[in-house]
Amino acid sequence: MRFAYRFSGLLGTVYRRGNLSFTRDGNSLLSPVGNRVSLFDLKNNKCETFPLATRLNIVCVGLSPDGTLAILIDEEGAALLVSLIGKCVIHQFYFHKPVHSVKFSPDGKKFVITKDNLAYLYHAPGKKREFNAFVLDKTYYGPYDETTCIDWTDDSKCFAVGSKDMSTWVFGAERWANLIYYSLGGHKDVIVACFFEENSLDLYTISQDAALCVWQCDTELDGLKPMPPKDAAKEEDAGENDEELLEEPKGEEIHGKANPSEQETRNKVKYSRVAKYFFNKEGDFNNLTAAAYHKKTHLLVTGFASGIFHLHELPDFNLIHSLSISDQRIASISINCTGDWIAFGCSGLGQLLVWEWQSESYVLKQQGHFNSMVSLAYSPDGQYIVTGGEDGKVKVWNTSSSFCFVTFTEHTSGVTAVTFTSTGYVVLSASLDGTVRAFDLHRYRNFRTFTSPRPSQFSCLAVDSSGEIVSAGSQDSFEIFIWSMQSGRLLDVLAGHEGPISSLSFNPMKCLLASASWDKTVKLWDMLDSWRTKETLIMNSDVLVVAFRPDGKELAVAALNGQITFWDHENAVQTGSIEGRHDLQMGRKELDKITAKQAAKGKSFTTLCYSADGQSILAGGLSKFVCIYNVKEQILMKKFEISCNHSLDAMEEYLDRRKMTEFGSLALIDEGGGGDEGVAIPLPGVKRGDMSYRHFKPEIRVTCVRFSPTGRSWAATTTEGLLIYSLDSGLIFDPFELDIDVTPNNIHKTLRQKEYTMAIIMAFKLNEKKLIQEVLEAVPSSEVDVICSSLPDLYVEKLLEFLASAFEISCHLEFYLIWAHKLLMLHGQKLKTRSVKLLPVIQFLQKSIQRHFENVSKLCEWNIYNIKYALAISEQRGVKRLAEEPSVDEEELDSDSDCLMQEVHKDKLSS
């Protein structure tokens, strides 16, 4: 098995904090998710997470006007310059202090960042190669408190900066003779946003106490005069002399004054306040938290801490409508270029909403799990993933689009385990509320609820291969409950364990149930023999998880001592073991009193999963690493670091001595007044960090890992969210039985000679995907039958795997279906003998075909409806004409019907 797995997607979390940004075309939305960035394609209904990450959580994102570059800045001021085309990091820069906001100028030549009480103007990185992409141009002084927001004029001549000291400053990007700086007051609270009017210096300022000030300027943008060269040269020389004394270059410095003298303001730009409006006249709204303005349509959108947003038309301040979209504060708002779609981010619940205000409908409505995800399961065809969280929700995600399409909220406590039945249309979930629920994915409803005679907290769940028997383990009564899916009745209660049940697993091939417990035993229960204990396996430590190999011939067990042991359950013989404690490589928490090495002695794997072919095993636990072991050789094959986000706890391997004082760690100091979100409620016994502190860090951990049945990807539920790793074959040259004559030129030569079978074999030997596709598509469809019959068995499997991947991207659907049909018809019996080995390939093929089938069937149903509708209209018209004109011929009716059908067909094609 190749271990070329690469990070391919982040599900389960759609927004954390930071500002949302629409792309240039207005069809896609960039959302910061922790220390990563996700791009939501709203037109094609897809989501993609970039394969890059910052060291800490991202707090602000700046998007260039041409849509090719983005600047991502984290909590400590470390910035990444990212190419949105190549989805890679171009440059790294450190601003030394936390940055509040960043914004490119409309011409794309400069950008401004705000940190502390200063604004810094940088030359924007151009399209040519540069040694230093971040060159400081000017430093602007003026506000007395932290700066909060930025806005540029349309011609990039000036920009405005809002501050926590209730003032707004207008600065010139160049030194204009009549505008270098200007200070605006008029507010009684922190400035949340400031916006210039279109092609004007007129300004709107909005404060946290829900007040809007309208400022009119006595000068047009064209009226800004360049500074005479002599004065500019003098000031530049003064700036250079100052810079020699400084350690860090600050560029040209511009010092603003809040109360300049009359002489300084003579012949300069002047602002006057023409209006002041208040949003909360009725007094039923609280703090204003976010705002956005669309200059062309004069549309102002404001969000409040209560989850309400308002739409106003400026400058008259006419309310268009207001709506409550959440019960948490709206943290960020963005409007796309056309002004039709408005994006809202709510960091408290992790919500992301895109609202079309004219039709008053949602374009996108996504929300992750409020608390940590605990478990996950793949559907049998690998198309869907179901997740369960501590918030009591069960969510089903589409792996191709990365969107959640249904959420079940029936559980009243945390979900501990989820699974699919073998059909893939039923989802089962176990919860601490004492119920196991079955959900129907056809009608999206909870159609079965399984309960125990006495209330029990269920910690684990398993369903047999037929989908008829459901079992759940209790963590308080130490019993296993067995139910019938058909009737919903309790069939049996299995007692025998002397500790909480930690894990259950059904043998895929036999009627056998394995149960693990903290009493240091694994029991095997025979379903056909009245659920009697067939075997009891004694371990050296508390057992945390058990898993059967896909062929059912081997059992893997992970214990509290960090060991993974493998058992031949038929003979109750241990066949091997892996000492995995040191591979976990535990991180050190900020408040730990012992070293990470000592702490690792008490750590172990809490989740296991075999790969689809059964040759490898995936293991994860309370660590930032997920390990893949080879079962036969019992060695570590690869270790995946699932996160580099230092905003989470237990990421550091060694203690940072800079954070240690003579009184202890700096992390013990409870700083600040709680921030905008207020002081968190203290809850005893939480696993996500001590919430009694105003600033707490969730601990990095992997709660569940699962391989896709197709073998092409695996997923892990972590503190970061649901991470998916996929096979990335495009970056690897992996030839198969290659010899000296197998070259692209020889393959093309063989193809021209119409020796199709030989050309296909040679292409598979070279194993270049594009070349294989070229050879297959050059084969006439009439020759497919002959080639499939003459193809060696070894290449049949490779061709099936290629067809499965080709279905995902190719538009030649019928052509590849002919290949798949002929291969399975001619080689079906031989493939059946190797069904266990070939199962991942067949499931991958089934997933690809099933997706196309669903898409085409929806289109066909819609077309049938349209045709019936058109025929009904034509018949109705015919009846009317017959009633009005008895002499009308039947031929004319037929021609009218045909014309109408053609019109409907044209409309359908155009849509």
Side-chain angles (χ1 to χ4, degrees), residues 39 107 197 282 309-310 320 410 612 694 698 753 762 901:
L39 184 70
D107 61 7
E197 188 54 271
E282 294 83 12
F309 78 89
H310 287 186
I320 298 169
E410 279 79 4
R694 293 192 179 106
Q753 293 169 357
M762 288 171 75
M901 285 294 290

Side-chain angles (χ1 to χ4, degrees), residues 748-767:
H748 287 122
K749 189 178 175 182
T750 311
L751 199 58
R752 283 193 295 272
Q753 293 169 357
K754 297 188 177 180
E755 295 179 17
Y756 298 119
T757 308
M758 183 54 70
I760 289 169
I761 291 170
M762 288 171 75
F764 273 110
K765 281 185 176 181
L766 199 61
N767 209 2

Side-chain angles (χ1 to χ4, degrees), residues 302-555:
T302 48
F304 294 82
S306 58
I308 293 170
F309 78 89
H310 287 186
L311 260 70
H312 284 89
E313 189 182 12
L314 295 182
D316 299 327
F317 200 66
N318 297 325
L319 181 66
I320 298 169
H321 75 229
S322 68
L323 189 74
S324 176
I325 54 167
S326 175
D327 55 0
Q328 296 278 334
R329 68 190 291 274
I330 296 172
S332 178
I333 300 176
S334 181
I335 309 175
N336 76 338
C337 56
T338 60
D340 296 328
W341 293 347
I342 305 165
F344 300 95
C346 302
S347 55
L349 292 174
Q351 285 177 314
L352 182 64
L353 310 163
V354 179
W355 173 260
E356 189 172 43
W357 65 274
Q358 287 171 327
S359 63
E360 298 191 13
S361 60
Y362 286 110
V363 177
L364 173 75
K365 191 178 183 183
Q366 290 285 303
Q367 181 182 346
H369 285 279
F370 176 60
N371 291 330
S372 300
M373 277 182 277
V374 173
S375 59
L376 81 114
Y378 270 97
S379 62
D381 59 1
Q383 264 193 298
Y384 306 119
I385 293 176
V386 61
T387 57
E390 290 177 356
D391 56 358
K393 290 178 182 175
V394 176
K395 288 178 173 281
V396 187
W397 307 81
N398 188 315
T399 53
S400 55
S401 71
S402 300
F403 283 130
C404 170
F405 62 90
V406 62
T407 302
F408 301 108
T409 57
E410 279 79 4
H411 284 296
T412 55
S413 188
V415 176
T416 52
V418 288
T419 187
F420 274 95
T421 58
S422 54
T423 59
Y425 297 118
V426 176
V427 170
L428 287 154
S429 61
S431 171
L432 296 174
D433 64 4
T435 62
V436 172
R437 295 179 184 268
F439 302 99
D440 179 8
L441 288 187
H442 282 305
R443 296 185 180 86
Y444 301 137
R445 64 192 179 97
N446 175 205
F447 70 94
R448 284 273 186 280
T449 302
F450 308 102
T451 55
S452 54
R454 293 185 306 278
S456 298
Q457 290 190 313
F458 297 123
S459 57
C460 50
L461 175 70
V463 62
D464 76 327
S465 54
S466 67
E468 293 298 318
I469 304 296
V470 180
S471 64
S474 168
Q475 66 180 25
D476 45 10
S477 64
F478 313 156
E479 294 169 326
I480 301 165
F481 299 89
I482 310 291
W483 296 276
S484 164
M485 177 70 86
Q486 283 272 317
S487 62
R489 288 175 54 198
L490 182 67
L491 300 178
D492 211 337
V493 180
L494 310 182
H497 281 294
E498 297 171 6
I501 314 297
S502 54
S503 179
L504 294 173
S505 181
F506 269 102
N507 189 316
M509 300 300 170
K510 293 184 179 179
C511 303
L512 196 69
L513 174 68
S515 63
S517 171
W518 292 6
D519 63 4
K520 302 182 182 180
T521 64
V522 173
K523 290 184 183 289
L524 301 173
W525 312 83
D526 194 345
M527 188 165 67
L528 300 178
D529 192 15
S530 304
W531 293 104
R532 287 181 184 167
T533 308
K534 188 179 178 185
E535 200 72 61
T536 300
L537 310 177
I538 309 297
M539 303 292 161
N540 297 326
S541 185
D542 296 5
V543 186
L544 301 180
V545 61
V546 289
F548 274 104
R549 203 165 68 184
D551 62 1
K553 293 180 179 176
E554 189 177 74
L555 182 70

Side-chain angles (χ1 to χ4, degrees), residues 443-695:
R443 296 185 180 86
Y444 301 137
R445 64 192 179 97
N446 175 205
F447 70 94
R448 284 273 186 280
T449 302
F450 308 102
T451 55
S452 54
R454 293 185 306 278
S456 298
Q457 290 190 313
F458 297 123
S459 57
C460 50
L461 175 70
V463 62
D464 76 327
S465 54
S466 67
E468 293 298 318
I469 304 296
V470 180
S471 64
S474 168
Q475 66 180 25
D476 45 10
S477 64
F478 313 156
E479 294 169 326
I480 301 165
F481 299 89
I482 310 291
W483 296 276
S484 164
M485 177 70 86
Q486 283 272 317
S487 62
R489 288 175 54 198
L490 182 67
L491 300 178
D492 211 337
V493 180
L494 310 182
H497 281 294
E498 297 171 6
I501 314 297
S502 54
S503 179
L504 294 173
S505 181
F506 269 102
N507 189 316
M509 300 300 170
K510 293 184 179 179
C511 303
L512 196 69
L513 174 68
S515 63
S517 171
W518 292 6
D519 63 4
K520 302 182 182 180
T521 64
V522 173
K523 290 184 183 289
L524 301 173
W525 312 83
D526 194 345
M527 188 165 67
L528 300 178
D529 192 15
S530 304
W531 293 104
R532 287 181 184 167
T533 308
K534 188 179 178 185
E535 200 72 61
T536 300
L537 310 177
I538 309 297
M539 303 292 161
N540 297 326
S541 185
D542 296 5
V543 186
L544 301 180
V545 61
V546 289
F548 274 104
R549 203 165 68 184
D551 62 1
K553 293 180 179 176
E554 189 177 74
L555 182 70
V557 180
L560 193 63
N561 59 4
Q563 274 192 341
I564 302 172
T565 52
F566 301 97
W567 294 78
D568 174 6
H569 59 85
E570 291 287 335
N571 305 312
V573 176
Q574 184 178 332
T575 57
S577 69
I578 294 169
E579 189 68 48
R581 186 189 299 145
H582 299 296
D583 298 328
L584 266 174
Q585 202 171 329
M586 291 303 301
R588 184 166 182 168
K589 295 184 198 174
E590 283 187 337
L591 304 178
D592 273 354
K593 303 292 189 294
I594 56 173
T595 60
K597 191 176 180 181
Q598 289 295 324
K601 291 181 180 177
K603 303 299 180 183
S604 55
F605 293 113
T606 56
T607 175
L608 290 178
C609 181
Y610 274 98
S611 62
D613 58 6
Q615 293 178 13
S616 313
I617 196 162
L618 200 63
L622 300 180
S623 163
K624 63 178 177 178
F625 291 103
V626 171
C627 305
I628 289 189
Y629 294 97
N630 184 295
V631 176
K632 191 177 179 183
E633 303 293 336
Q634 295 169 16
I635 56 170
L636 178 68
M637 299 293 290
K638 189 162 184 179
K639 200 155 63 167
F640 295 93
E641 186 177 3
I642 57 160
S643 178
C644 61
N645 189 358
H646 286 258
S647 295
L648 303 172
D649 207 358
M651 290 294 295
E652 300 278 4
E653 195 174 344
Y654 301 103
L655 200 65
D656 189 351
R657 296 292 174 193
R658 291 172 297 180
K659 293 180 180 176
M660 293 301 291
T661 66
E662 56 184 312
F663 307 108
S665 172
L666 285 173
L668 288 164
I669 301 168
D670 192 10
E671 292 179 337
D676 298 331
E677 289 83 8
V679 180
I681 301 165
L683 295 170
V686 292
K687 299 176 184 176
R688 295 179 297 280
D690 188 355
M691 294 176 76
S692 62
Y693 283 96
R694 293 192 179 106
H695 302 282

